[in-house]
Amino acid sequence: MAQGMKRLGMPIAALFAVAVLALIGTSWFLNRDALRQAVEAQIRAVTGLDLVVSGAIDVSVFPGSYVSFHNVGLKGGGTTDPALQVDVLTANLRLLPLLLRRFEIADVMMLRPHIRVVRDSGGESNWTPFVERIARTMRPGAENQVSFSEIRIQDGVLKYEDAANNFKEQLGDIDLSLAWPSISRSFAATGQFDFRGERVDGSISASDFVAMLSGDRSGLKARLVSAPLKLAFDGSVANRTSLMMEGTMTVDSLSLRNALRWMGGQVPGSGGFGRFALKARANVVGASVALTNVNVELDGNVAEGVMTVANNGRQTLQATLAAGNLDFTPYISTFRLLASGARDWNRQLFDLSSLSATDLDMRLSAARVTVGGTRLGRTALGANLRNGALALSVGEAQMYGGIAKGSFGIARSDAVADVKAQLQFTDVDLQACANELFGITKLSGRGNLGVSLVASGASPFGLASSLDGTATLVGHDGAIAGFNIEQLLKRLERRPLSGGGNLRSGSTPYDNLNVSVRFNDGIATVEDIRVDGPTTRLTLTGTASVPSREYDLKGVASLTAAASGGDKGFELPFVVQGPWDDPLVFPDPESLIRRSPGAAPLLDAVKDRKTRDAVRSVIERFTGGGAKPAAPETADGAKAN
């Protein structure tokens, strides 16, 4: 066997030696000008592009077979900032044809190419004539049907300019491998590039490259993978009069907020917009993308429906979506009406810049909605954002155990927010409703609440200080916590000067509650407050300051005749003062004194001036009070010590 291997190896070694000698001889006697011209002609025949070589030309046959052109540009591309400029273009040659004095390119490598794409206002590009020439060259039946397998791009730069939309973008450090069509009609490109500080791994393949270049329909697959965003498309493309794409699109991101910022968008607030995933059937026409069979997920919220995204000078999003459970808590977590840990309104300025970023028209329905601590049942919402004005409409929402309808609008004026709210709550739980809307925790029962308010300010405190509008409340079968009016009145009816006792405990039940309040520059004026209970009745007048969140009210509490055991009910004026969440309630002292048989004559007596002076004189004698005589002055005018 050893002898057989030795006999076989000798011819192989001889053949290899002959090939090496042939290559060396070829390199000595090769016509380098003919080689250069043949390579240029083959590149022109395959790509249809006329290259202009301004620099040196390197030719090598052994050990490597290649031709390198320095400082290469496209003919007709212009002398200043041309469409394509390559520092070094290297054409690697096939070995066996070279031994037979035939020059065939195996692949092409472009080192540091600078590609410039400019689109004018009419939609034409500086690359349009070159693309048309490539399409004619590669069309079946064309002359010079030769090709090479691959074009590699290393350390390239692409600059894109859109004059119509005043848009510029740049891709850097481009490393791509283009599988140039040779026998098949397909085309593929894979590689990486830098975009806005992130490395992007991408690939694209076309089933009919010539049709795609000509604007005809072709199958298309594309994939982009980066740290902020992943995108994939599988469908078809055509570009006769405008770009048209149809197929399945998927988008995935660990943080939609980071992805939008990376793409140059603005994101409202600082909460939410995390994990995002979308899968849909996409139909692209020009700058408009229509998505059907949409399945979208954002921050754990999943919805289905249709969407349309357009960018005709301004970004626009239209959507109609339906969901099971929606949680809006992440998006309002950073918005606080009240200062943290305090009773004052939040004075932090609003950030309204995101209202001008895009236009929005959305219809959203959900079986259950969560907003902070609020739980809503079946809800239908509408959101419209246009030219910095946001309008929210609630068609119907199961809220606070009842039904809520209305609208809420925010319009931006510089750094000031103009707010308008019109809400109607029907048969709601008043304890939950009043607590969340106004911070009032003392009211329970069920009822109807109507609110019509307008305000303007740069912060929640500014809105509270400028609040105008009206609010009405009709309640029934509830209670007012914090005091028991019936027990208090019965005790004071028997002993007016016995003291009110603990007025901040117990509760006062009611059958009917009627409230009508008007707001003007942050001051709520009571137009009508009536509370009718089984044994008591309350009426209130006065004001409440919205900015300071304090009451200044006076009222009359009365026992019914049946409850007081007499022919005439017992009445007692009282005062409500202090903060909304913990007000002070105390009876009018003059009224208590007048109801005391022993103290009332004394009160009438001290109202007389002579009697009041006599009483004061007696008090001063016992206490040693009264006015002291003035000290005599000395001769020099100074008072004696």
Side-chain angles (χ1 to χ4, degrees):
M1 182 179 295
Q3 291 179 354
M5 293 295 296
K6 186 175 181 180
R7 292 177 186 149
L8 182 62
M10 293 296 293
I12 294 176
L15 182 61
F16 180 76
V18 171
V20 171
L21 291 175
L23 283 174
I24 295 175
T26 301
S27 64
W28 286 343
F29 300 106
L30 184 67
N31 188 335
R32 281 169 168 72
D33 290 336
L35 173 60
R36 184 202 65 190
Q37 295 174 2
V39 169
E40 290 181 351
Q42 189 170 351
I43 292 177
R44 184 184 311 111
V46 172
T47 65
L49 302 178
D50 291 325
L51 301 181
V52 178
V53 181
S54 303
I57 301 175
D58 299 331
V59 179
S60 174
V61 176
F62 185 82
S65 303
Y66 62 85
V67 179
S68 293
F69 303 91
H70 294 260
N71 196 9
V72 180
L74 279 179
K75 185 177 182 180
T79 56
T80 59
D81 209 1
L84 175 65
Q85 186 72 32
V86 184
D87 286 358
V88 181
L89 188 150
T90 300
N92 295 308
L93 305 178
R94 292 188 174 97
L95 179 60
L96 292 180
L98 183 62
L99 295 176
L100 301 176
R101 300 297 180 94
R102 294 205 313 265
F103 310 126
E104 296 183 8
I105 299 176
D107 56 72
V108 174
M109 195 274 287
M110 292 189 291
L111 178 63
R112 293 185 295 276
H114 297 266
I115 306 168
R116 181 170 179 261
V117 181
V118 180
R119 186 180 181 186
D120 58 25
S121 57
E124 293 293 325
S125 166
N126 61 330
W127 275 86
T128 300
F130 301 119
V131 171
E132 292 176 350
R133 192 181 308 167
I134 295 173
R136 288 195 303 268
T137 302
M138 299 185 64
R139 187 172 292 112
E143 298 180 356
N144 299 325
Q145 288 296 306
V146 294
S147 184
F148 41 78
S149 61
E150 184 182 16
I151 298 178
R152 297 193 304 276
I153 296 176
Q154 182 177 346
D155 197 17
V157 176
L158 185 148
K159 295 181 179 180
Y160 176 80
E161 300 178 14
D162 189 343
N165 298 315
N166 193 24
F167 175 77
K168 294 182 179 180
E169 197 55 75
Q170 177 173 315
L171 306 181
D173 196 11
I174 302 174
D175 293 326
L176 290 179
S177 176
L178 286 68
W180 199 262
S182 53
I183 300 175
S184 66
R185 304 173 66 181
S186 63
F187 167 83
T190 59
Q192 297 178 332
F193 56 88
D194 287 343
F195 178 68
R196 296 182 177 178
E198 294 288 346
R199 194 65 175 167
V200 181
D201 186 0
S203 66
I204 183 173
S205 63
S207 60
D208 193 333
F209 187 51
V210 177
M212 186 176 70
L213 293 178
S214 303
D216 295 331
R217 188 181 183 89
S218 170
L220 178 68
K221 293 183 179 181
R223 180 183 62 89
L224 295 175
V225 178
S226 65
L229 186 71
K230 297 178 182 179
L231 185 146
F233 177 83
D234 187 354
S236 61
V237 62
N239 191 17
R240 275 297 182 187
T241 57
S242 62
L243 178 64
M244 299 179 63
M245 299 174 64
E246 183 179 2
T248 301
M249 182 176 69
T250 58
V251 183
D252 189 272
S253 174
L254 294 177
S255 173
L256 181 60
R257 181 178 298 276
N258 293 338
L260 291 175
R261 287 175 177 170
W262 178 56
M263 294 186 294
Q266 295 184 2
V267 187
S270 58
F273 294 93
R275 178 74 172 85
F276 174 77
L278 181 144
K279 184 176 182 180
R281 185 72 180 175
N283 191 348
V284 180
V285 179
S288 177
V289 182
L291 303 177
T292 57
N293 299 330
V294 173
N295 189 295
V296 59
E297 177 183 351
L298 178 61
D299 297 321
N301 299 315
V302 180
E304 298 178 347
V306 296
M307 302 175 66
T308 301
V309 182
N311 189 8
N312 298 317
R314 183 174 177 83
Q315 296 180 356
T316 303
L317 172 62
Q318 295 178 322
T320 300
L321 301 172
N325 299 324
L326 290 179
D327 187 358
F328 291 119
T329 303
Y331 315 111
I332 65 168
S333 58
T334 57
F335 178 77
R336 300 181 184 275
L337 288 176
L338 299 179
S340 179
R343 295 175 176 176
D344 191 16
W345 295 97
N346 190 359
R347 297 173 184 259
Q348 184 176 358
L349 299 180
F350 294 129
D351 182 8
L352 305 175
S353 59
S354 58
L355 292 179
S356 302
T358 186
D359 290 340
L360 174 69
D361 187 4
M362 179 177 291
R363 301 291 179 268
L364 184 63
S365 61
R368 287 172 295 277
V369 177
T370 302
V371 184
T374 304
R375 303 291 187 271
L376 286 72
R378 188 168 299 279
T379 304
L381 301 173
N384 185 279
L385 175 60
R386 189 174 299 275
N387 297 326
L390 174 63
L392 300 176
S393 60
V394 181
E396 183 174 291
Q398 296 175 353
M399 191 174 185
Y400 305 130
I403 300 297
K405 297 181 180 180
S407 62
F408 181 83
I410 302 177
R412 176 186 178 184
S413 177
D414 294 331
V416 175
D418 297 326
V419 179
K420 178 183 293 185
Q422 291 183 335
L423 302 172
Q424 183 67 43
F425 300 90
T426 304
D427 193 25
V428 295
D429 181 354
L430 295 181
Q431 185 172 19
C433 182
N435 183 24
E436 293 199 15
L437 295 182
F438 306 108
I440 299 174
T441 60
K442 305 296 185 180
L443 183 64
S444 63
R446 301 194 68 84
N448 302 332
L449 173 64
V451 175
S452 179
L453 301 173
V454 294
S456 180
S459 66
F461 178 78
L463 295 178
S465 301
S466 63
L467 191 64
D468 293 332
T470 60
T472 59
L473 171 62
V474 178
H476 62 89
D477 300 325
I480 302 176
F483 53 89
N484 189 319
I485 291 295
E486 181 180 3
Q487 292 181 2
L488 173 64
L489 292 180
K490 287 182 176 180
R491 183 168 62 249
L492 295 178
E493 183 182 25
R494 296 190 301 267
R495 291 175 295 170
L497 298 182
S498 63
N502 186 7
L503 302 183
R504 307 176 70 176
S505 63
S507 62
T508 300
Y510 67 84
D511 296 325
N512 297 294
L513 170 65
N514 292 276
V515 178
S516 179
V517 179
R518 181 171 295 277
F519 297 88
N520 185 19
D521 289 337
I523 301 299
T525 302
V526 175
E527 294 186 338
D528 179 31
I529 294 183
R530 290 180 291 113
V531 182
D532 296 321
T535 59
T536 60
R537 182 179 295 109
L538 294 175
T539 59
L540 282 171
T541 59
T543 61
S545 174
V546 179
S548 60
R549 296 171 54 82
E550 290 184 347
Y551 292 117
D552 186 10
L553 303 173
K554 293 182 179 180
V556 176
S558 60
L559 284 172
T560 62
S564 63
D567 296 334
K568 186 178 181 180
F570 175 71
E571 294 185 353
L572 176 68
F574 65 96
V575 177
V576 180
Q577 292 181 341
W580 288 2
D581 53 351
D582 194 18
L584 295 175
V585 182
F586 50 90
D588 180 44
E590 183 177 346
S591 174
L592 294 178
I593 294 174
R594 285 192 171 278
R595 292 186 176 276
S596 174
L602 178 61
L603 181 63
D604 293 334
V606 297
K607 286 187 175 181
D608 181 71
R609 182 174 181 180
K610 293 182 179 180
T611 306
R612 185 169 63 249
D613 293 342
V615 172
R616 181 183 298 172
S617 177
V618 173
I619 294 175
E620 289 175 354
R621 289 179 183 179
F622 280 102
T623 60
K628 295 182 179 180
E633 296 185 0
T634 61
D636 58 357
K639 292 184 179 181
N641 292 330

